[in-house]
Amino acid sequence: MTNDNGYLLQVRDLHTYFYLHQGVVKAVEGVNLRIRPGSTLGVVGESGCGKSVTARSVLRIVEQPGRIVSGEIVFRRKMKGGQTEDLNLGAFRDQSREMREIRGKEISMIFQEPMASLSPHYTIGSQISENLLLHQDISKADARDRTIELLRDVGIARPEARVDAYPYQLSGGMCQRAVIAMAIACRPSLLIADEPTTALDVTTQAQILDLLREMQEQIGMAIMLITHDLGVVAEMADDVAVMYLGRVAEHADVDTIFHDARHPYTQALLRSIPTVGSEARERLATIRGMVPDPFNRPSGCVFHPRCDAAQAGLCDVETPVTVEVAPNHEVTCCACRG
Ligand SMILES: Nc1ncnc2c1ncn2[C@@H]1O[C@H](COP(=O)(O)OP(=O)(O)OP(=O)(O)O)[C@@H](O)[C@H]1O
Ligand SMILES: [Mg+2]
């Protein structure tokens, strides 16, 4: 296990399957990802391509009957005295001491729906304090003071009063701010944000993205930002991983993805976003066909039945390997790896 390039997180050839009565769902089938310290990786792809399962695998919170079958999740953990150590999170048990120490402290996660992270039965203040008390050696009174400070940092007005509010007393945007406060309470080095703004209205979305960026700068944390929205990616991401049916089709810096995409799937995704100034009545390109049934993955390259560049006898037969076509630019495609 090596991580010589100074990445904060490197996911290598990760496979996560769900074992159902009807068969095996290969939700993640050989994912490779990497995140530099302090940077933002946008993870995009159509519904069902394995974005959330990848994120949950990193945190070791994959739901039953799912489990990590193989692969490495190399996380560079900070230790006292400024040293670091590389840990393969894939090798720990979900409930191991190591994972309980890392979850919520060094890697934390926010979900699309704020109520998935908050309990309706406790005040937001007690939920944030709980995370502080779990991971830090501080008194209850200090945890409460720190919680009020955190609520102020995430833009909640009158935090001294709101600290005792229950989630139902706050708007969706306020709740998501509280969730962010909880996620950053222990100053994690990686924040995984799974569709953090999809449930919010457009104005609130923009405010939450601004807040994430501000907190990132303040804490120096990296963000794995999962989103359907390429506009959000353009605005937030340094690097982008484009996923299709359990694999990463293309991985590069954001400019390369938008201006020099090689994978036909990435190119098709880019054609499906509206551009300012395009004719109002012009129809948006859509990617033909549907994402295949996860029980019946196509042979060869899983994208070939929908791909305009597919070559018979090659793409329907050969499983593509991931090739570095330029520094920091990887493509998983039989037809375009040259
Ligand atoms: N608990 C589960 N049990 C069985 N299958 C699951 C479970 N969770 C996810 N899957 C399957 O794994 C695949 C990947 O799902 P995942 O939730 O990671 O997709 P996603 O990319 O996050 O999609 P979306 O954009 O809709 O959130 C899908 O085929 C899904 O049906
Ligand atoms: Mg998801």
Side-chain angles (χ1 to χ4, degrees):
M1 189 184 72
T2 53
N3 175 7
D4 301 330
N5 299 311
Y7 293 118
L8 176 67
L9 183 82
Q10 239 186 325
V11 174
R12 295 198 199 121
D13 206 23
L14 179 70
H15 291 68
T16 305
Y17 294 175
F18 290 90
Y19 294 87
L20 309 179
H21 290 302
Q22 307 92 299
V24 179
V25 177
K26 296 179 176 175
V28 170
E29 177 78 332
V31 159
N32 295 296
L33 288 179
R34 45 188 191 276
I35 306 180
R36 291 177 283 119
S39 73
T40 299
L41 175 75
V43 179
V44 288
E46 283 165 290
S47 190
C49 69
K51 304 183 294 293
S52 298
V53 174
T54 300
R56 287 177 159 272
S57 301
V58 170
L59 265 189
R60 304 305 310 263
I61 52 166
V62 174
E63 289 155 340
Q64 292 289 340
R67 64 182 176 86
I68 295 178
V69 179
S70 61
E72 284 185 345
I73 301 164
V74 183
F75 177 63
R76 180 156 288 191
R77 175 191 211 177
K78 267 194 225 111
M79 298 194 304
K80 284 199 183 105
Q83 280 155 313
T84 59
E85 65 174 337
D86 289 344
L87 297 175
N88 177 11
L89 307 186
F92 295 123
R93 280 180 301 109
D94 292 357
Q95 289 310 326
S96 59
R97 181 178 53 83
E98 288 86 353
M99 284 317 302
R100 279 187 280 128
E101 272 175 23
I102 287 170
R103 264 195 300 264
K105 181 176 178 222
E106 289 169 73
I107 308 179
S108 58
M109 181 153 174
I110 53 182
F111 299 89
Q112 172 173 351
E113 181 48 59
M115 294 319 282
S117 307
L118 290 172
S119 160
H121 306 297
Y122 297 94
T123 63
I124 54 164
S126 65
Q127 297 184 57
I128 298 169
S129 297
E130 193 186 7
N131 198 24
L132 287 166
L133 290 166
L134 183 66
H135 292 296
Q136 292 178 1
D137 190 18
I138 53 172
S139 68
K140 276 192 169 173
D142 286 345
R144 184 179 166 89
D145 290 346
R146 177 83 187 102
T147 298
I148 292 172
E149 247 175 72
L150 279 161
L151 291 175
R152 187 174 292 119
D153 285 348
V154 297
I156 292 186
R158 293 190 298 111
E160 299 82 359
R162 292 263 173 66
V163 68
D164 295 317
Y166 287 87
Y168 73 85
Q169 294 174 307
L170 303 176
S171 67
M174 283 291 168
C175 282
Q176 199 61 314
R177 285 177 191 270
V179 168
I180 293 172
M182 188 155 67
I184 63 168
C186 299
R187 306 177 76 85
S189 51
L190 176 63
L191 174 70
I192 302 177
D194 191 352
E195 305 272 7
T197 59
T198 314
L200 306 171
D201 66 75
V202 179
T203 318
T204 315
Q205 265 184 27
Q207 290 170 356
I208 294 291
L209 292 175
D210 283 345
L211 173 64
L212 280 177
R213 232 182 337 226
E214 213 177 286
M215 293 298 117
Q216 176 173 38
E217 222 157 90
Q218 212 180 84
I219 297 175
M221 66 188 176
I223 301 180
M224 176 173 167
L225 181 64
I226 297 173
T227 176
H228 282 101
D229 190 336
L230 282 167
V232 170
V233 166
E235 206 176 307
M236 299 282 292
D238 300 296
D239 296 290
V240 184
V242 179
M243 286 190 65
Y244 186 77
L245 213 62
R247 297 195 77 179
V248 174
E250 190 157 12
H251 195 311
D253 68 87
V254 68
D255 286 340
T256 302
I257 289 290
F258 279 90
H259 302 293
D260 189 22
R262 301 277 184 93
H263 199 290
Y265 179 62
T266 313
Q267 293 169 349
L269 271 187
L270 290 168
R271 277 196 300 273
S272 68
I273 45 175
T275 50
V276 177
S278 61
E279 282 285 317
R281 258 188 255 139
E282 202 176 305
R283 290 190 63 172
L284 279 178
T286 52
I287 305 175
R288 68 184 161 83
M290 302 271 289
V291 178
D293 174 349
F295 291 119
N296 292 312
R297 297 167 65 83
S299 61
C301 169
V302 286
F303 186 56
H304 89 263
R306 303 175 70 191
C307 181
D308 292 332
Q311 297 173 20
L314 175 66
C315 302
D316 51 345
V317 180
E318 201 179 305
T319 303
V321 291
T322 300
V323 173
E324 192 174 43
V325 292
N328 192 32
H329 187 183
E330 290 176 357
V331 182
T332 310
C333 171
C334 304
C336 59
R337 63 188 160 200

